[in-house]
Amino acid sequence: EGQSMAGPSTTSGPNAEGVREEENSTWYSKMTSFLPSLDTEALVDQLLLREGRVLKKGWLTFYDRSKPHGEKRYFVLRDKSFLYFQDETVQDQGTRLFSLKGLKITYQPPRNVSLDGKEYSIRSGFLAQDKLMRELEFECEDENDAGHWVQAFCLIESVQLLSN
């Protein structure tokens, strides 16, 4: 039986796949311990934000349903991301509201809503629900625009269209 000249082994033995793991295999956790916990999928999504073809872009007003006033932003839907920008120049880095993976879209017709005893009119748009069940409502310029946004989302394989 041959002995290794490298000295005592630092391995803990083979894992389930038969690959030997070294004691210092925790280097990743040591190197990333100072970082906030990150969802790997979200990190990959963040790196790919500007990749993919543009499916639709335009102005939308979004609401988180707990506030009476929405925020109007310029949105760009790509087959890999949905970002908003301050304006059409898209010079800022863009902000992602949610991942497209597992997203559910529901068309919303124009309607009136009551919030804190006040009536508000909302134009056509869509409701987006992410895989964590968070919901954002988007108001479009008109019914035609809302239909185009919903159609664009339906081009993405991981997005599901729900009926309202």
Side-chain angles (χ1 to χ4, degrees):
E1 312 287 308
Q3 284 199 331
S4 170
M5 306 264 307
S9 171
T10 59
T11 59
S12 59
N15 64 14
E17 290 82 36
V19 178
R20 298 187 71 78
E21 295 180 32
E22 296 182 21
E23 280 180 351
N24 66 358
S25 66
T26 59
W27 69 269
Y28 179 80
S29 59
K30 288 177 187 174
M31 294 300 290
T32 58
S33 62
F34 64 93
L35 295 173
S37 68
L38 293 174
D39 175 6
T40 305
E41 186 176 294
L43 181 60
V44 169
D45 282 351
Q46 192 69 27
L47 295 171
L48 298 175
L49 288 181
R50 297 238 182 185
E51 288 190 13
R53 64 190 168 107
V54 173
L55 302 175
K56 176 95 174 96
K57 54 187 174 180
W59 289 97
L60 295 171
T61 302
F62 70 98
Y63 302 83
D64 72 2
R65 292 188 141 192
S66 66
K67 299 176 189 160
H69 304 289
E71 294 182 45
K72 189 170 187 174
R73 297 288 186 264
Y74 190 77
F75 282 84
V76 177
L77 175 63
R78 294 176 184 270
D79 50 10
K80 296 182 185 309
S81 64
F82 183 51
L83 300 176
Y84 74 80
F85 300 88
Q86 297 301 318
D87 57 46
E88 295 106 331
T89 64
V90 298
Q91 294 302 310
D92 57 297
Q93 72 179 25
T95 302
R96 182 180 73 126
L97 295 172
F98 42 72
S99 171
L100 294 175
K101 293 179 180 88
L103 188 67
K104 296 176 183 168
I105 297 290
T106 308
Y107 171 79
Q108 298 288 317
R111 66 206 174 285
N112 292 324
V113 295
S114 181
L115 190 63
D116 296 331
K118 294 182 181 176
E119 290 290 320
Y120 297 93
S121 290
I122 297 180
R123 294 179 298 218
S124 298
F126 57 93
L127 177 68
Q129 183 183 65
D130 71 5
K131 64 183 176 183
L132 300 175
M133 306 303 277
R134 294 177 295 203
E135 291 183 344
L136 284 176
E137 188 159 344
F138 293 85
E139 185 180 53
C140 302
E141 294 299 318
D142 55 37
E143 288 186 59
N144 190 41
D145 189 40
H148 287 193
W149 277 102
V150 170
Q151 286 176 340
F153 273 104
C154 289
L155 295 173
I156 302 169
E157 190 176 318
S158 63
V159 174
Q160 179 183 3
L161 177 64
L162 303 178
S163 57
N164 48 349

